[in-house]
Amino acid sequence: MAVSEFSGLRIARIAPADLGAYKALRDEALRLHPDAFDADIESEQARPPESFIGRLGLGEPLGGSFLLGAWMDRQMVGMIGLERQSLQKLRHSAELNSMMVRPSHTGHGVGRMLMEACIAEARKAIGLEQIILRVSTSSSSAIRLYEHAGFKSCGIVPHALRLVDGPGQVRYFDKLTMVLML
């Protein structure tokens, strides 16, 4: 199901057959931007593509859990995910995750189109009222993208991520929590 097309770019839900491309792009994201993702490449590299099938939202009758991909021809150049909370008291909420655009395709509106498609798909979900995300405070372009989409800042978690680059080489990254009321 194509959500949007522009200059050869196609945005659609990721299907089980696309999980290999999703995993390759996700691994690239973890390598290039270790401060942007909670998962680390060392732990995730051996994970098989099929292990992400739950993120497709195939078993979510009310909607609100899915992965979207952006393709140029047959290459996945971007992705975004939404995962609806499973606990009853939190079912009105979903977490945005897995946002990535290949460096070769940044600056051309791919991220904006993925974000718009994600929000449009989220609005179709029954009973979903808000989307929450966490972004590194150092990711100013991502923060601008989220603000442009209507997300509002609601707090910073200091030292949310701890990266160890070597013996005695530790870096911390603060995370900004943002919310969009649907």
Side-chain angles (χ1 to χ4, degrees):
M1 163 185 108
V3 176
S4 179
E5 293 197 32
F6 175 72
S7 301
L9 181 75
R10 182 177 61 89
I11 296 178
R13 284 185 80 140
I14 293 175
D18 303 317
L19 286 174
Y22 166 77
K23 165 101 167 78
L25 184 56
R26 185 177 187 273
D27 285 353
E28 180 181 346
L30 295 175
R31 259 192 312 282
L32 292 176
H33 308 287
D35 61 310
F37 299 93
D38 293 347
D40 61 271
I41 187 65
E42 295 79 15
S43 302
E44 297 288 309
Q45 207 160 9
R47 188 173 173 184
E50 305 78 43
S51 68
F52 294 100
I53 195 122
R55 291 195 179 181
L56 300 181
L58 302 175
E60 177 56 69
L62 301 178
S65 291
F66 53 83
L67 292 173
L68 297 177
W71 283 269
M72 287 292 290
D73 298 316
R74 294 181 180 214
Q75 181 188 25
M76 188 181 293
V77 299
M79 63 183 185
I80 192 168
L82 195 70
E83 190 169 351
R84 190 169 192 159
Q85 297 291 338
S86 60
L87 296 175
Q88 188 61 36
K89 293 179 184 178
L90 302 176
R91 295 284 293 151
H92 67 289
S93 182
E95 181 182 347
L96 187 138
N97 57 42
S98 301
M99 175 70 176
M100 161 69 170
V101 175
R102 283 193 196 279
S104 59
H105 290 79
T106 58
H108 300 289
V110 176
R112 179 184 47 78
M113 290 175 65
L114 278 166
M115 181 62 58
E116 289 171 0
C118 178
I119 293 169
E121 189 72 15
R123 287 193 166 122
K124 296 177 189 175
I126 298 168
L128 190 60
E129 299 174 15
Q130 64 183 8
I131 300 173
I132 298 170
L133 64 84
R134 291 183 347 143
V135 59
S136 292
T137 57
S138 58
S139 299
S140 56
S141 61
I143 293 169
R144 279 193 307 276
L145 172 69
Y146 299 139
E147 288 174 339
H148 184 262
F151 283 83
K152 303 291 184 212
S153 301
C154 56
I156 294 176
V157 178
H159 289 206
L161 285 183
R162 182 178 184 263
L163 297 180
V164 179
D165 297 326
Q169 298 177 356
V170 176
R171 292 182 292 152
Y172 291 96
F173 292 89
D174 298 345
K175 289 281 189 165
L176 172 65
T177 301
M178 302 181 82
V179 65
L180 173 69
M181 303 307 290
L182 295 174

